[in-house]
Amino acid sequence: MDLAELKEFLAKKRDFMMTLLGNPSLLEHDRFTDLLWAVTHLDEELESRTSFDNLPEADLKHLAMTFRDYMTTWRVSG
């Protein structure tokens, strides 16, 4: 997976995701809200890194766990 490409994609969707999080009607749906928070967290983790070249092993593991959490939430919601 190209982390830089994912970071760019999520950055383009950030305003839309924030709009969704601000919609009280959508927040009543727990699974959707959990999914949205998982994607938002993944976006924040990717945004906090200026480069994905030569990341320390701990960062790679953290990103992998964050992505796994997103995928687990997505599968439950889907």
Side-chain angles (χ1 to χ4, degrees), residues 18-34:
M18 293 299 111
T19 300
L20 291 175
L21 283 170
N23 184 330
S25 297
L26 292 178
L27 295 181
E28 292 174 8
H29 302 280
D30 291 339
R31 288 183 180 172
F32 180 76
T33 302
D34 290 346

Side-chain angles (χ1 to χ4, degrees), residues 30-46:
D30 291 339
R31 288 183 180 172
F32 180 76
T33 302
D34 290 346
L35 175 62
L36 195 53
W37 280 118
V39 172
T40 301
H41 180 69
L42 179 59
D43 177 42
E44 290 171 349
E45 289 293 336
L46 294 173

Side-chain angles (χ1 to χ4, degrees), residues 12-72:
K12 290 178 183 176
K13 305 297 181 187
R14 190 173 299 131
D15 288 341
F16 178 67
M17 289 188 294
M18 293 299 111
T19 300
L20 291 175
L21 283 170
N23 184 330
S25 297
L26 292 178
L27 295 181
E28 292 174 8
H29 302 280
D30 291 339
R31 288 183 180 172
F32 180 76
T33 302
D34 290 346
L35 175 62
L36 195 53
W37 280 118
V39 172
T40 301
H41 180 69
L42 179 59
D43 177 42
E44 290 171 349
E45 289 293 336
L46 294 173
E47 189 61 33
S48 71
R49 289 157 176 85
T50 56
S51 173
F52 299 104
D53 297 328
N54 303 315
L55 282 177
E57 186 68 25
D59 279 8
L60 290 172
K61 285 181 180 179
H62 185 78
L63 286 171
M65 288 187 328
T66 301
F67 188 75
R68 186 196 67 214
D69 291 345
Y70 156 73
M71 292 302 294
T72 301

